[in-house]
Amino acid sequence: MYTRKEKNTSGEKKERTELSELGEFGLIDHLAKNIIPKHAGTVKGIGDDAAVIDTGKNLLLLSTDLLLEGVHFDLTYMPLKHLGYKAAVVNISDIAAMNGIPKQMTVSIAVSNRFSLEAIEELYRGIRMACDKYNIDLVGGDTSSSVSGLLISVTITGEVAREEIVYRNGAKEGDLLCVTGDLGGAYAGLLILEREKQVYKANPEMQPELTGYDYVLARQLKPEARTDLRNLFKKIGVLPTSMIDISDGLASDTLHLCHQSKTGCRIYEEKIPMDEETKRLALEFNIIPTICALSGGEDYELLFTIKQTDYDKIRNVPEITVIGHITTSGDGQNLITPDGQTVKLTAQGWDAFNKK
Ligand code: ADP
Ligand code: MG
């Protein structure tokens, strides 16, 4: 870590550490150090997709996410209604990752006078659409002005029975590593939108060329949370041993799951499920398709582990793909390429303080 001495206004030397040296996850780990719960009801604090609170009967789940214009979204190609929907969905996804049922949501916004009432109404149309679809009550929030741009902060609660909760830290050696749906589509959609933005900037007369990219654009602009998996798990009689949602990319989120579980893993690259449109687009952009899945993020699919003995229960479920298995932590977290090479998994997903 790079630390240097810096003088403050009274001339004393103070240490200054660059956030870019820590990265987003390093910063969270640093802030979380030595936080000891004061209440017996705090079952799980920092470190999972949602905090877990014991309310007597069931467990209460609590999670929050912050979205900032220019950092997390670009209004030149993100319609406000879609943005509202997505802001809700990214939170709902964290409840799904705990195998929970989403219940209530608060929405806080800060807006500059660049926005009209009609624009904010459009944002809320999207939020309410998601609340209706996922059966969630919008119960509060906060409203503030901002000097520039739009900020959205969503907090969500959920509920789960004690015997049904799934944490990030339950994976065991020999467990199978599985994902839902397909990966990399959201990133492929972003590539298209960014390309069309550059074309528009160069010549505003040009109309965006978005036909033929319906699937990946929907993955980027209107993601869905996999709350359906909870019922599917019940139906087939499987309870994952660990679970996380894929928000930062398969590589980064696998590392989170393995670090929390204190395990290693082997992911077989050719097993990573990808849609044909995503693959075609990646190649169009000269990107190895699996890179979109590993490092792209925002797919909001679920990554989970099951006991090997449960394999027969999931083998014919089209929504679930086995991509690898869990090993001991000493083996590290590895990707096996189609030609049999072992490559160390590295997180190149979203990292808020990365200098690049
Ligand atoms: P997710 O991608 O599932 O939303 P994050 O990577 O944002 O999860 O956060 C990981 C964990 O760190 C969560 O338990 C979250 O509540 C916690 N966390 C993130 N930022 C902070 C912060 N500034 N202070 C305390 N806890 C935080
Ligand atoms: Mg999450």
Side-chain angles (χ1 to χ4, degrees), residues 24-25 28 31 45-49 65 94 168 245 247-248:
E24 180 189 348
F25 303 122
I28 295 173
L31 296 175
I46 297 168
D48 218 303
D49 291 291
D65 262 300
D94 279 324
R168 289 180 180 179
D245 69 327
S247 53
D248 299 325

Side-chain angles (χ1 to χ4, degrees), residues 52-73:
V52 182
I53 299 154
D54 192 343
T55 52
K57 190 169 174 277
N58 285 333
L59 297 172
L60 172 75
L61 304 169
L62 182 62
S63 186
T64 191
D65 262 300
L66 180 64
L67 297 178
L68 271 168
E69 184 179 354
V71 179
H72 300 98
F73 58 87

Side-chain angles (χ1 to χ4, degrees), residues 109-113 142-151:
I109 53 169
V111 271
S112 69
N113 55 14
D142 198 12
T143 306
S144 168
S145 59
S146 108
V147 181
S148 75
L150 173 65
L151 175 151

Side-chain angles (χ1 to χ4, degrees), residues 11-26:
E12 297 159 352
K13 279 187 179 168
K14 273 191 83 186
E15 283 192 349
R16 179 187 161 91
T17 307
E18 299 302 328
L19 292 179
S20 56
E21 300 299 319
L22 284 157
E24 180 189 348
F25 303 122

